[in-house]
CSV table of all heavy atoms in Angstrom, one decimal:
chain,number,residue,atom,x,y,z
A,40,PHE,N,-0.7,5.0,0.3
A,40,PHE,CA,-1.0,3.5,0.4
A,40,PHE,C,-1.4,3.2,1.8
A,40,PHE,O,-0.7,3.4,2.7
A,40,PHE,CB,0.3,2.8,0.1
A,40,PHE,CG,0.6,2.5,-1.4
A,40,PHE,CD1,0.9,3.5,-2.3
A,40,PHE,CD2,0.4,1.2,-1.9
A,40,PHE,CE1,1.2,3.2,-3.6
A,40,PHE,CE2,0.6,0.9,-3.2
A,40,PHE,CZ,1.0,1.9,-4.1
A,42,ILE,N,-3.1,-0.1,4.1
A,42,ILE,CA,-3.3,-1.5,4.1
A,42,ILE,C,-4.6,-1.8,4.7
A,42,ILE,O,-5.0,-1.3,5.8
A,42,ILE,CB,-2.1,-2.3,4.7
A,42,ILE,CG1,-2.2,-3.8,4.4
A,42,ILE,CG2,-2.0,-2.1,6.2
A,42,ILE,CD1,-0.9,-4.6,4.7
A,52,GLU,N,4.9,-5.8,8.0
A,52,GLU,CA,5.7,-6.0,6.7
A,52,GLU,C,5.5,-4.8,5.8
A,52,GLU,O,6.5,-4.4,5.2
A,52,GLU,CB,5.2,-7.3,6.1
A,52,GLU,CG,6.1,-7.8,5.0
A,52,GLU,CD,5.7,-9.1,4.4
A,52,GLU,OE1,5.1,-10.0,5.1
A,52,GLU,OE2,6.0,-9.3,3.2
A,53,ALA,N,4.3,-4.3,5.7
A,53,ALA,CA,4.1,-3.1,4.8
A,53,ALA,C,4.8,-1.9,5.3
A,53,ALA,O,5.4,-1.1,4.6
A,53,ALA,CB,2.6,-2.9,4.6
A,56,LEU,N,8.4,-2.1,4.6
A,56,LEU,CA,8.7,-1.8,3.2
A,56,LEU,C,8.9,-0.3,3.0
A,56,LEU,O,9.6,0.1,2.0
A,56,LEU,CB,7.5,-2.3,2.4
A,56,LEU,CG,7.7,-2.5,0.9
A,56,LEU,CD1,8.8,-3.4,0.5
A,56,LEU,CD2,6.4,-3.1,0.3
A,58,ILE,N,6.5,2.1,2.6
A,58,ILE,CA,5.6,2.8,1.8
A,58,ILE,C,4.2,2.9,2.4
A,58,ILE,O,3.3,3.4,1.8
A,58,ILE,CB,5.4,2.0,0.4
A,58,ILE,CG1,5.1,0.5,0.6
A,58,ILE,CG2,6.6,2.2,-0.5
A,58,ILE,CD1,3.7,0.2,0.9
A,206,VAL,N,-10.3,-3.1,-2.8
A,206,VAL,CA,-9.3,-3.2,-3.9
A,206,VAL,C,-8.8,-4.6,-3.9
A,206,VAL,O,-8.2,-5.1,-2.9
A,206,VAL,CB,-8.1,-2.2,-3.7
A,206,VAL,CG1,-6.9,-2.5,-4.6
A,206,VAL,CG2,-8.7,-0.8,-3.9
A,207,ARG,N,-8.9,-5.3,-5.1
A,207,ARG,CA,-8.7,-6.8,-5.1
A,207,ARG,C,-7.4,-7.2,-5.7
A,207,ARG,O,-6.9,-8.3,-5.5
A,207,ARG,CB,-9.8,-7.4,-5.8
A,207,ARG,CG,-11.2,-7.2,-5.2
A,207,ARG,CD,-11.5,-8.1,-4.0
A,207,ARG,NE,-12.7,-7.7,-3.3
A,207,ARG,CZ,-13.9,-7.9,-3.7
A,207,ARG,NH1,-14.1,-8.5,-4.9
A,207,ARG,NH2,-14.9,-7.5,-3.0
A,208,HIS,N,-6.8,-6.3,-6.5
A,208,HIS,CA,-5.6,-6.8,-7.3
A,208,HIS,C,-4.7,-5.6,-7.7
A,208,HIS,O,-5.2,-4.4,-7.6
A,208,HIS,CB,-6.0,-7.6,-8.5
A,208,HIS,CG,-7.0,-7.0,-9.3
A,208,HIS,ND1,-6.8,-5.9,-10.1
A,208,HIS,CD2,-8.3,-7.3,-9.4
A,208,HIS,CE1,-7.9,-5.6,-10.7
A,208,HIS,NE2,-8.9,-6.4,-10.3
A,209,PRO,N,-3.5,-5.8,-8.1
A,209,PRO,CA,-2.6,-4.7,-8.4
A,209,PRO,C,-3.1,-3.8,-9.5
A,209,PRO,O,-2.9,-2.6,-9.5
A,209,PRO,CB,-1.3,-5.3,-8.9
A,209,PRO,CG,-1.6,-6.8,-9.1
A,209,PRO,CD,-2.8,-7.1,-8.2
A,210,MET,N,-3.9,-4.3,-10.5
A,210,MET,CA,-4.4,-3.5,-11.6
A,210,MET,C,-5.5,-2.5,-11.1
A,210,MET,O,-5.6,-1.4,-11.6
A,210,MET,CB,-5.0,-4.3,-12.7
A,210,MET,CG,-3.9,-5.0,-13.6
A,210,MET,SD,-2.6,-3.9,-14.0
A,210,MET,CE,-3.3,-2.8,-15.1
A,211,HIS,N,-6.2,-2.8,-10.0
A,211,HIS,CA,-7.0,-1.9,-9.3
A,211,HIS,C,-6.2,-0.7,-8.8
A,211,HIS,O,-6.6,0.5,-8.9
A,211,HIS,CB,-7.8,-2.5,-8.1
A,211,HIS,CG,-9.1,-3.1,-8.4
A,211,HIS,ND1,-9.7,-4.1,-7.7
A,211,HIS,CD2,-10.0,-2.8,-9.4
A,211,HIS,CE1,-10.9,-4.4,-8.2
A,211,HIS,NE2,-11.1,-3.6,-9.2
A,212,ILE,N,-5.0,-1.0,-8.2
A,212,ILE,CA,-4.2,0.1,-7.7
A,212,ILE,C,-3.7,1.0,-8.8
A,212,ILE,O,-3.8,2.2,-8.6
A,212,ILE,CB,-3.0,-0.5,-6.9
A,212,ILE,CG1,-3.5,-1.4,-5.7
A,212,ILE,CG2,-2.1,0.6,-6.4
A,212,ILE,CD1,-2.4,-2.1,-4.9
A,213,ILE,N,-3.3,0.4,-9.9
A,213,ILE,CA,-2.8,1.2,-11.0
A,213,ILE,C,-4.0,2.1,-11.6
A,213,ILE,O,-3.8,3.3,-11.8
A,213,ILE,CB,-2.3,0.3,-12.2
A,213,ILE,CG1,-1.1,-0.5,-11.7
A,213,ILE,CG2,-1.9,1.2,-13.4
A,213,ILE,CD1,0.0,0.2,-11.1
A,223,VAL,N,-5.3,4.5,-1.7
A,223,VAL,CA,-5.8,3.2,-2.1
A,223,VAL,C,-5.5,2.3,-0.8
A,223,VAL,O,-4.4,2.3,-0.3
A,223,VAL,CB,-5.1,2.6,-3.3
A,223,VAL,CG1,-5.2,1.1,-3.3
A,223,VAL,CG2,-5.6,3.2,-4.6
A,225,SER,N,-5.5,-1.7,0.3
A,225,SER,CA,-5.6,-3.0,-0.2
A,225,SER,C,-4.8,-4.0,0.7
A,225,SER,O,-4.2,-3.6,1.6
A,225,SER,CB,-4.9,-3.0,-1.6
A,225,SER,OG,-3.5,-2.7,-1.5
A,226,SER,N,-4.9,-5.3,0.3
A,226,SER,CA,-4.2,-6.3,1.0
A,226,SER,C,-2.7,-6.2,0.8
A,226,SER,O,-2.2,-5.6,-0.2
A,226,SER,CB,-4.7,-7.7,0.5
A,226,SER,OG,-4.3,-7.8,-0.9
A,227,LEU,N,-1.9,-6.8,1.6
A,227,LEU,CA,-0.5,-6.9,1.5
A,227,LEU,C,-0.1,-7.5,0.1
A,227,LEU,O,0.8,-7.1,-0.6
A,227,LEU,CB,0.2,-7.6,2.6
A,227,LEU,CG,1.7,-7.8,2.6
A,227,LEU,CD1,2.4,-6.4,2.7
A,227,LEU,CD2,2.2,-8.7,3.6
A,228,SER,N,-0.9,-8.6,-0.2
A,228,SER,CA,-0.5,-9.3,-1.5
A,228,SER,C,-0.7,-8.4,-2.7
A,228,SER,O,0.1,-8.5,-3.7
A,228,SER,CB,-1.3,-10.6,-1.6
A,228,SER,OG,-2.7,-10.3,-1.7
A,229,ALA,N,-1.7,-7.6,-2.7
A,229,ALA,CA,-1.9,-6.7,-3.9
A,229,ALA,C,-0.8,-5.6,-3.9
A,229,ALA,O,-0.3,-5.3,-5.0
A,229,ALA,CB,-3.3,-6.0,-3.8
A,230,ILE,N,-0.3,-5.2,-2.8
A,230,ILE,CA,0.8,-4.2,-2.7
A,230,ILE,C,2.1,-4.9,-3.2
A,230,ILE,O,2.7,-4.3,-4.1
A,230,ILE,CB,1.0,-3.6,-1.3
A,230,ILE,CG1,-0.3,-2.8,-0.8
A,230,ILE,CG2,2.2,-2.7,-1.3
A,230,ILE,CD1,-0.2,-2.4,0.6
A,231,THR,N,2.4,-6.0,-2.7
A,231,THR,CA,3.7,-6.7,-3.1
A,231,THR,C,3.6,-7.2,-4.5
A,231,THR,O,4.7,-7.3,-5.1
A,231,THR,CB,4.1,-7.8,-2.1
A,231,THR,OG1,3.0,-8.7,-2.0
A,231,THR,CG2,4.4,-7.2,-0.7
A,232,ALA,N,2.4,-7.4,-5.0
A,232,ALA,CA,2.3,-7.8,-6.5
A,232,ALA,C,2.8,-6.7,-7.4
A,232,ALA,O,3.3,-7.0,-8.5
A,232,ALA,CB,0.9,-8.2,-6.8
A,233,LEU,N,2.8,-5.5,-6.9
A,233,LEU,CA,3.3,-4.4,-7.7
A,233,LEU,C,4.8,-4.5,-8.0
A,233,LEU,O,5.3,-3.9,-8.9
A,233,LEU,CB,3.0,-3.0,-7.1
A,233,LEU,CG,1.5,-2.6,-6.9
A,233,LEU,CD1,1.4,-1.4,-6.1
A,233,LEU,CD2,0.9,-2.3,-8.3
A,234,LEU,N,5.5,-5.2,-7.0
A,234,LEU,CA,6.9,-5.3,-7.1
A,234,LEU,C,7.3,-6.2,-8.3
A,234,LEU,O,8.4,-6.1,-8.8
A,234,LEU,CB,7.4,-6.0,-5.9
A,234,LEU,CG,7.6,-5.3,-4.6
A,234,LEU,CD1,7.8,-6.3,-3.5
A,234,LEU,CD2,8.9,-4.5,-4.7
A,235,LYS,N,6.4,-7.1,-8.7
A,235,LYS,CA,6.9,-8.2,-9.5
A,235,LYS,C,6.8,-7.9,-11.0
A,235,LYS,O,5.8,-7.4,-11.5
A,235,LYS,CB,6.0,-9.4,-9.2
A,235,LYS,CG,6.3,-9.9,-7.8
A,235,LYS,CD,5.4,-11.1,-7.4
A,235,LYS,CE,5.4,-11.3,-5.9
A,235,LYS,NZ,4.2,-11.9,-5.4
A,236,HIS,N,7.9,-8.3,-11.7
A,236,HIS,CA,7.8,-8.4,-13.1
A,236,HIS,C,8.9,-9.5,-13.6
A,236,HIS,O,10.0,-9.4,-13.1
A,236,HIS,CB,8.2,-7.1,-13.8
A,236,HIS,CG,7.7,-7.0,-15.2
A,236,HIS,ND1,8.4,-7.7,-16.2
A,236,HIS,CD2,6.7,-6.4,-15.8
A,236,HIS,CE1,7.8,-7.5,-17.4
A,236,HIS,NE2,6.7,-6.7,-17.2
A,237,PRO,N,8.5,-10.4,-14.4
A,237,PRO,CA,9.4,-11.5,-14.8
A,237,PRO,C,10.7,-10.9,-15.4
A,237,PRO,O,11.8,-11.5,-15.2
A,237,PRO,CB,8.6,-12.3,-15.8
A,237,PRO,CG,7.4,-11.6,-16.1
A,237,PRO,CD,7.2,-10.6,-15.0
A,238,LEU,N,10.6,-9.8,-16.2
A,238,LEU,CA,11.8,-9.3,-16.8
A,238,LEU,C,12.8,-8.7,-15.8
A,238,LEU,O,14.0,-8.7,-16.0
A,238,LEU,CB,11.4,-8.2,-17.8
A,238,LEU,CG,10.7,-8.7,-19.1
A,238,LEU,CD1,10.4,-7.5,-20.0
A,238,LEU,CD2,11.6,-9.7,-19.8
A,239,THR,N,12.2,-8.3,-14.6
A,239,THR,CA,13.1,-7.8,-13.5
A,239,THR,C,13.9,-9.0,-13.0
A,239,THR,O,15.1,-8.9,-12.8
A,239,THR,CB,12.3,-7.2,-12.4
A,239,THR,OG1,11.5,-6.1,-12.9
A,239,THR,CG2,13.2,-6.7,-11.3
A,240,ASP,N,13.2,-10.1,-12.8
A,240,ASP,CA,13.9,-11.3,-12.3
A,240,ASP,C,14.9,-11.8,-13.3
A,240,ASP,O,16.1,-12.2,-12.9
A,240,ASP,CB,12.9,-12.4,-12.0
A,240,ASP,CG,11.9,-12.0,-10.9
A,240,ASP,OD1,12.2,-11.1,-10.1
A,240,ASP,OD2,10.8,-12.5,-10.9
Side-chain angles (χ1 to χ4, degrees):
F40 272 73
I42 190 166
E52 196 175 327
L56 195 56
I58 51 82
V206 166
R207 301 279 171 74
H208 49 71
M210 287 315 290
H211 267 156
I212 300 178
I213 301 303
V223 161
S225 66
S226 63
L227 179 65
S228 61
I230 296 171
T231 54
L233 294 172
L234 280 167
K235 294 175 193 152
H236 197 288
L238 290 179
T239 303
D240 298 337

